[in-house]
């Protein structure tokens, strides 16, 4: 029997166990090659000018290397341990450790570089599709072509060749360090199991849940009415991360065992076959994988959270543009506005003009603030009700407009109550009768505070008693242009863009497009990185289940001999996999939800729909690996008798 025969026989024998590893490797190479190709693609020049797209994709490719590298090294560790008995047998028949290393290296070389060639080919063919998806998301109208980059090929070969050398170094170290006896014991070493939970483990479980809850509560109050400077905010965020991550580790280390032990005790020892195969197995095994599960859960939460926030911003772009800018086009100078409307007249595009003259004052609003400790005066701009459509106030009545999601997080204002307007010499008592999210002035005029809309007579009185030290001289006039025919919006924006008008000039369409372009690129990058991590982490959990199924094969043989059918055992395995894959998924989704909820208002106007869509898609993709593990268990159970 020649060594070549041994190599190909072992490769064919183990290929059924490596198929998911091969798929993940092909996918990773294809995605990395596609990303690097985008970096050198001439079509990206237009995107690079406005969004630094090539640089962002280049940076994301580095993160992709880290994710894929960790996965390949971890997967190799699992597979080399599974083949420890085989390595021991090779030594028993007289093969040296160097020769055994050569056999494994040859197998890995065929598998690794064969997958790499396929991945590069798929990446080349798929790079145009990925580029089309990117341009569709960010709204760039460019004709894409299939482009091959020699630089991308060289970069991919170098990166994955270095990973292969690291894998070979790991294999060599493992083989050199093990004796024949220890090789036969490696695969038979079981997970840590104990019959009884200690008091320390119970306390650890309770502490884990408490730390997670503490982190959630702290994140919910991160941008509350209490004022935090940047240093305090940073420390608070670090505390939240530390609390949640440590709590997650202790949750897997002790909480799961504690909860499942409580359930088992409530059964008073009368466990069904489903509970024997699920609860009893998970409560002892999960603590051994606590660190791995903590890493997977944390990075999953990070990926879901970042993707949700970028999608919130992308999804809310149009609504946020309308909320931030009161009219389709906004100008601070009359001559600039006149140039624009003259072109609209030439093109016969109908429009309406708005002219508002904000006054800048300070308001004593502490009686309508939900935070009673906030007693300092609130800087605000004031306009009269005659300058705002569909608002007619009586003297003494005030409405706050532009009270959006972000402002609400920094100071909470009740819908009604007494306030005091401060002029230079006099004060005017008013009654707040409501708040509105829709803005009446751009942020350029308001500096991020709500605009007070008052009666015309009150406005005139304030105009005679202004404090000159707080007036914004260059912001005394606002000119808005509203296109009355919605079908002409894009034509009007084309005129606005062609004129290259002097700033400050604003457009709702430009605001929306800029936000969709920048956040669309981020969403694209985070989405693909998240997909890579999803597949690699799913594969890792699947490989762990492969190991567990092989270790428990003798148990299935005994249960089958006792009369339990394949269906009985499979139902217990399905229940077990629901916990094995479901617990990290639910914890990760929970972490990401509270992280997103703490600061989503900085990114858009809608929380529920984008977040739910991202979570559903992630859950469906993640569930595929749970189904694959059940399929593998089914095969093991079938072969157990």
């Amino acid at each position: 029997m020649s060594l070549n025969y041994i190599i190909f026989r072992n490769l064919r024998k183990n290929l059924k166990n490596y198929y998911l590893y091969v798929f993940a490797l092909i996918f990773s190479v294809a995605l990395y090659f596609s990303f690097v190709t985008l970096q050198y693609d001439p079509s990206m020049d237009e995107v690079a000018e406005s969004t630094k797209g090539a640089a962002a994709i280049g940076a994301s490719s580095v993160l992709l290397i880290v994710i894929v590298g960790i996965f390949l090294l971890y997967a190799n560790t699992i597979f080399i341990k599974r083949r420890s008995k085989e390595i021991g047998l090779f030594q028993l028949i007289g093969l040296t450790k160097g020769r055994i290393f050569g056999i494994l290296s040859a197998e890995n070389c065929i598998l690794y570089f064969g997958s790499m060639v396929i991945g590069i080919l798929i990446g080349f063919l798929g790079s145009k599709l990925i580029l089309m998806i990117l341009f569709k998301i960010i709204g760039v109208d460019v004709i894409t072509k299939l482009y091959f980059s020699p630089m991308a090929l060289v970069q991919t070969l170098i990166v994955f060749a270095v990973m292969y050398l690291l894998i070979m170094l790991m294999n060599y170290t493992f083989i050199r360090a093990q004796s024949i006896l220890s090789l036969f014991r490696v695969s038979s070493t079981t997970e840590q199991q104990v019959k009884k939970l200690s008091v320390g483990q119970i306390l650890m479980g309770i502490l884990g849940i408490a730390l997670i809850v503490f982190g959630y509560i702290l994140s919910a109050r991160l941008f509350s009415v209490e004022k935090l400077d940047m240093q305090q905010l940073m420390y608070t965020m670090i505390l939240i991360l530390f609390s949640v991550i440590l709590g997650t580790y202790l949750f897997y280390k002790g909480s799961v065992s504690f909860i499942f032990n409580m359930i088992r005790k409530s059964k008073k020892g009368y466990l069904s076959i489903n509970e024997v195969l699920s609860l009893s197995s998970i409560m002892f095994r999960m603590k051994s994988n606590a660190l791995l599960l903590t890493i997977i859960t944390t990075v999953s939460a990070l990926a879901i959270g970042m993707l949700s926030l970028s999608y919130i911003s992308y999804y809310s772009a149009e609504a946020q543009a309308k909320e931030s800018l009161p009219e389709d086009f906004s100008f601070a100078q009359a001559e600039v506005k006149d140039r624009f409307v003259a072109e609209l007249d030439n093109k016969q595009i109908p429009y309406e003009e708005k002219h508002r003259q904000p006054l800048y004052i300070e308001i004593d609003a502490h009686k309508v603030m939900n935070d009673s400790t906030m007693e300092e005066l609130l800087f605000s701009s004031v306009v009269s009700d005659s300058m705002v459509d569909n608002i007619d106030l009586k003297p003494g009545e005030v409405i706050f407009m532009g009270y959006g999601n972000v402002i609400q997080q920094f100071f909470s204002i009740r819908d009604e109550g007494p306030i005091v307007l401060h002029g230079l010499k006099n004060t005017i008592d008013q009654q707040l009768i409501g708040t509105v999210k829709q803005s009446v002035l751009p942020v350029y005029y308001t500096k991020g505070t709500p605009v007070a809309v008052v009666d015309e007579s009150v406005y005139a009185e304030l105009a005679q008693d202004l404090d000159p030290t707080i007036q914004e001289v260059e912001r005394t006039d606002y000119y808005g242009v509203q296109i009355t025919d919605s079908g002409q919006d894009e034509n009007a924006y084309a005129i606005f863009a062609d004129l290259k008008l002097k700033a400050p000039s604003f457009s709702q369409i430009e605001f929306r497009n800029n936000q969709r372009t920048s956040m669309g690129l981020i969403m694209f990058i985070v989405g693909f990185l998240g997909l890579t991590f999803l597949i690699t982490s799913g594969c890792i959990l699947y490989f762990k289940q492969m190991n567990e199924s092989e270790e428990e094969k003798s148990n299935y043989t005994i249960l089958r001999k006792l009369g339990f059918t394949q269906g009985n055992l499979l139902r217990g395995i399905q229940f077990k996999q629901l916990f094995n894959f479901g617990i990290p998924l639910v914890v990760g989704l929970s972490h990401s939800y509270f992280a997103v909820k703490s600061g989503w208002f900085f990114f858009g106007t809608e929380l529920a729909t984008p977040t739910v869509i991202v979570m559903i898609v992630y859950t469906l993709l993640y569930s595929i690996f749970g189904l694959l593990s059940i399929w593998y268990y089914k095969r093991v159970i079938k072969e157990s008798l």
Side-chain angles (χ1 to χ4, degrees), residues 91 95-105 172 175-176:
Q91 289 193 39
L95 292 179
T96 64
K97 290 185 176 182
R99 186 62 63 88
I100 296 170
F101 173 72
I103 293 174
L104 294 180
S105 298
Y172 180 77
I175 294 172
R176 291 287 298 179

Side-chain angles (χ1 to χ4, degrees), residues 189-235:
T189 302
T190 59
E191 306 281 357
Q192 176 188 0
Q193 297 191 19
V194 292
K195 295 294 183 180
K196 185 178 180 181
L197 289 176
S198 66
V199 175
Q201 290 172 324
I202 294 174
L203 293 176
M204 184 188 299
I206 296 173
L207 180 61
I209 296 174
L211 283 172
I212 293 174
V213 173
F214 173 73
Y216 287 171
I217 294 173
L218 210 56
S219 69
R221 301 189 59 206
L222 186 60
F223 297 101
S224 64
V225 292
E226 297 178 4
K227 289 190 173 182
L228 294 175
D229 58 33
M230 290 304 297
Q231 189 175 16
Q232 291 173 322
L233 186 63
M234 182 184 68
Y235 289 151

Side-chain angles (χ1 to χ4, degrees), residues 27 68 104 165 265 267 435:
F27 174 82
V68 174
L104 294 180
L165 293 177
K265 280 188 174 182
K267 301 286 184 178
T435 60

Side-chain angles (χ1 to χ4, degrees), residues 442-623:
V443 177
Y444 174 76
Y445 294 86
T446 66
K447 293 187 176 180
T449 58
V451 178
V453 183
V454 299
D455 179 71
E456 178 70 26
S457 61
V458 176
Y459 177 84
E461 186 177 348
L462 286 171
Q464 300 300 318
D465 188 33
L466 291 177
D467 183 352
T469 61
I470 63 173
Q471 298 309 301
E472 303 286 344
V473 178
E474 71 278 8
R475 295 176 173 85
T476 54
D477 287 283
Y478 163 78
Y479 301 93
V481 177
Q482 183 70 31
I483 306 301
T484 55
D485 181 2
S486 59
Q488 295 284 354
D489 286 349
E490 292 292 341
N491 294 332
Y493 175 66
I495 294 172
F496 178 87
D498 290 340
L499 289 175
K500 298 180 179 178
L501 299 170
K502 181 181 177 182
S505 302
F506 312 99
S507 164
Q508 281 187 5
I509 294 178
E510 185 176 59
F511 183 101
R512 180 198 68 195
N513 290 348
N514 288 343
Q515 184 161 319
R516 283 184 175 173
T517 299
S518 57
M519 298 313 300
L521 179 63
I522 293 174
M523 186 172 68
F524 171 82
I525 292 173
V526 173
F528 273 90
L529 287 176
L531 182 61
T532 305
F533 176 78
L534 170 66
I535 290 179
T536 54
S537 61
C539 287
I540 288 174
L541 290 177
Y542 174 82
F543 297 150
K544 293 293 292 183
Q545 294 308 302
M546 286 173 57
N547 277 351
E548 289 186 18
S549 66
E550 295 296 335
E551 290 175 10
E552 296 173 352
K553 189 173 182 179
S554 59
N555 297 338
Y556 304 144
T557 302
I558 295 172
L559 290 171
R560 291 291 302 276
K561 288 180 177 179
L562 290 175
F564 291 101
T565 65
Q566 182 176 329
N568 296 142
L569 300 183
L570 194 59
R571 280 192 292 273
I573 294 302
Q574 290 170 347
F575 200 49
K576 174 184 176 180
Q577 297 308 85
L578 181 63
F579 285 109
N580 271 327
F581 286 86
I583 291 176
L585 175 64
V586 171
V587 175
L589 291 176
S590 177
H591 288 355
S592 64
Y593 171 75
F594 280 94
V596 169
K597 193 173 185 297
S598 68
W600 70 273
F601 40 83
F602 287 111
F603 295 84
T605 58
E606 178 67 33
L607 169 67
T609 302
T611 305
V612 169
I613 290 173
V614 169
M615 289 184 173
I616 289 175
V617 171
Y618 194 92
T619 300
L620 291 176
L621 293 175
Y622 187 85
S623 300

Side-chain angles (χ1 to χ4, degrees), residues 226-266:
E226 297 178 4
K227 289 190 173 182
L228 294 175
D229 58 33
M230 290 304 297
Q231 189 175 16
Q232 291 173 322
L233 186 63
M234 182 184 68
Y235 289 151
T236 305
M237 289 176 137
I238 292 173
L239 178 60
I240 292 171
L241 284 173
F242 176 79
S243 174
V244 172
I245 293 174
L246 179 60
T248 304
Y249 176 77
L250 295 179
F251 174 80
Y252 290 125
K253 197 72 175 175
S255 302
V256 174
S257 298
F258 172 66
I259 294 171
F260 283 8
N261 190 56
M262 294 292 291
I263 295 174
R264 194 170 67 166
K265 280 188 174 182
S266 68

Side-chain angles (χ1 to χ4, degrees), residues 309-378:
L309 290 174
S310 57
Y311 189 38
I312 284 171
S313 185
Y314 184 85
Y315 185 89
S316 307
E318 187 166 355
Q320 201 165 17
K322 291 180 178 179
E323 187 176 299
S324 302
L325 299 172
E327 274 76 41
D328 290 330
F329 301 93
S330 305
F331 307 91
Q333 298 175 6
E335 60 272 18
V336 177
K337 180 265 301 181
D338 291 339
R339 283 185 60 199
F340 177 66
V341 297
E343 288 297 321
L344 293 180
D345 291 333
N346 290 338
K347 299 293 184 179
Q348 297 183 342
I349 298 176
Y351 62 90
E352 289 182 356
E353 289 190 47
K354 304 290 181 182
H355 181 211
R356 302 184 183 105
Q357 294 177 296
L359 308 176
Y360 298 96
I361 66 169
E362 290 182 330
I363 299 177
D364 182 358
H366 76 275
K367 290 185 178 179
V368 296
M369 295 283 188
N370 287 324
D371 181 12
S372 58
T373 63
M374 187 172 180
E375 297 183 356
E376 60 188 66
L377 298 179
L378 176 69

